Amino acid sequence: MKNTLVTFSKLTAGIVFAAVMVSCNKEQPKTSKPAATTASAEKKTEEIVYVNSDSLLNNYDYFKDIRGKLESKSKKAQTDLTAKGNAFQREVAEYQQQAQNMSADQRAATEQRLARKQQELAAFNQNASSALANESALENDKLYQKVAEYLKVYAKDKGYRMVLTYSKTNPNILFADESLDVTKEVVAGLNEAYKKEKK
């Protein structure tokens, strides 16, 4: 269960925002002068901005809610598994104490029953992990869609041609001027949109 949650966090940090490179279909303004002026060079620089995905994840309310929901489900599944495992161990210990007083047929029947229970326990663990992994993948996809859709509109409104992602854990960008960091503005917009959705 814990591995699934760690995988979800890594997937979210890696896949979700490493893939968020949004380019708008806005044409570049054509100039009659072939030589680039300082003003036009600054304009071109501002057409590309970046979002710090670590900061976005830590501050985006939707992601916090998803993470909380998945952690809660993981803990519940872990608690259920532990309870079933403990009950099984008690049955095995009980059998071991009584085995000497049982007939061969009774021992064989009890061992078969315990073997079935052990298989059921393994299947329960596998199913719970698989269900959590599937839900994590679905939530991951929803998260990507929300951020990508928001950034398309945001970039178009601001006149940005591309929004890159930056993360200390997955540094595809080695250096970017902090003036190009639009994370706070993006997080504020995402949280505002999510607040309206929840109503």
Side-chain angles (χ1 to χ4, degrees):
M1 294 296 151
K2 289 179 183 174
N3 287 344
T4 304
L5 208 50
V6 169
T7 303
F8 172 71
S9 296
K10 286 181 181 176
L11 278 175
T12 305
I15 295 173
V16 171
F17 296 103
V20 177
M21 289 176 58
V22 180
S23 180
C24 295
N25 294 328
K26 183 179 172 188
E27 290 184 23
Q28 289 183 349
K30 295 178 182 174
T31 57
S32 56
K33 295 179 184 177
T37 63
T38 307
S40 67
E42 284 176 16
K43 173 69 178 151
K44 281 190 177 184
T45 302
E46 291 173 2
E47 288 179 349
I48 298 174
V49 292
Y50 72 92
V51 171
N52 182 318
S53 60
D54 299 326
S55 181
L56 190 145
L57 287 176
N58 288 331
N59 296 295
Y60 186 18
D61 293 337
Y62 177 71
F63 176 72
K64 290 179 193 175
D65 289 350
I66 290 172
R67 184 175 53 199
K69 184 173 81 170
L70 289 171
E71 282 174 357
S72 174
K73 286 190 176 187
S74 176
K75 282 178 186 173
K76 185 185 181 315
Q78 191 64 48
T79 302
D80 290 349
L81 183 63
T82 301
K84 286 177 187 289
N86 289 341
F88 176 71
Q89 290 300 326
R90 281 192 299 272
E91 281 191 60
V92 169
E94 200 175 290
Y95 164 68
Q96 288 170 342
Q97 288 174 353
Q98 297 173 356
Q100 291 176 349
N101 301 327
M102 293 177 155
S103 68
D105 288 345
Q106 287 175 322
R107 279 198 305 271
T110 304
E111 286 171 6
Q112 283 178 355
R113 184 176 55 79
L114 290 173
R116 277 195 306 274
K117 280 201 169 186
Q118 189 174 21
Q119 287 174 345
E120 287 168 9
L121 196 60
F124 175 81
N125 184 29
Q126 181 64 40
N127 292 340
S129 295
S130 184
L132 193 61
N134 289 340
E135 189 172 354
S136 295
L138 285 171
E139 293 293 357
N140 195 40
D141 189 52
K142 283 185 201 172
L143 179 64
Y144 171 82
Q145 293 301 327
K146 280 181 177 294
V147 173
E149 288 304 313
Y150 178 81
L151 285 175
K152 281 179 189 174
V153 174
Y154 173 81
K156 190 172 184 181
D157 289 347
K158 297 287 185 177
Y160 300 139
R161 295 186 56 78
M162 189 176 290
V163 179
L164 302 174
T165 182
Y166 170 78
S167 167
K168 285 185 179 178
T169 56
N170 189 15
N172 293 325
I173 300 171
L174 296 177
F175 171 78
D177 191 296
E178 287 183 15
S179 66
L180 302 176
D181 185 352
V182 295
T183 309
K184 284 183 182 174
E185 198 175 335
V186 169
V187 168
L190 282 166
N191 283 337
E192 186 62 35
Y194 181 52
K195 212 178 283 182
K196 288 176 186 173
E197 257 179 53
K198 285 174 80 172
K199 288 183 181 177

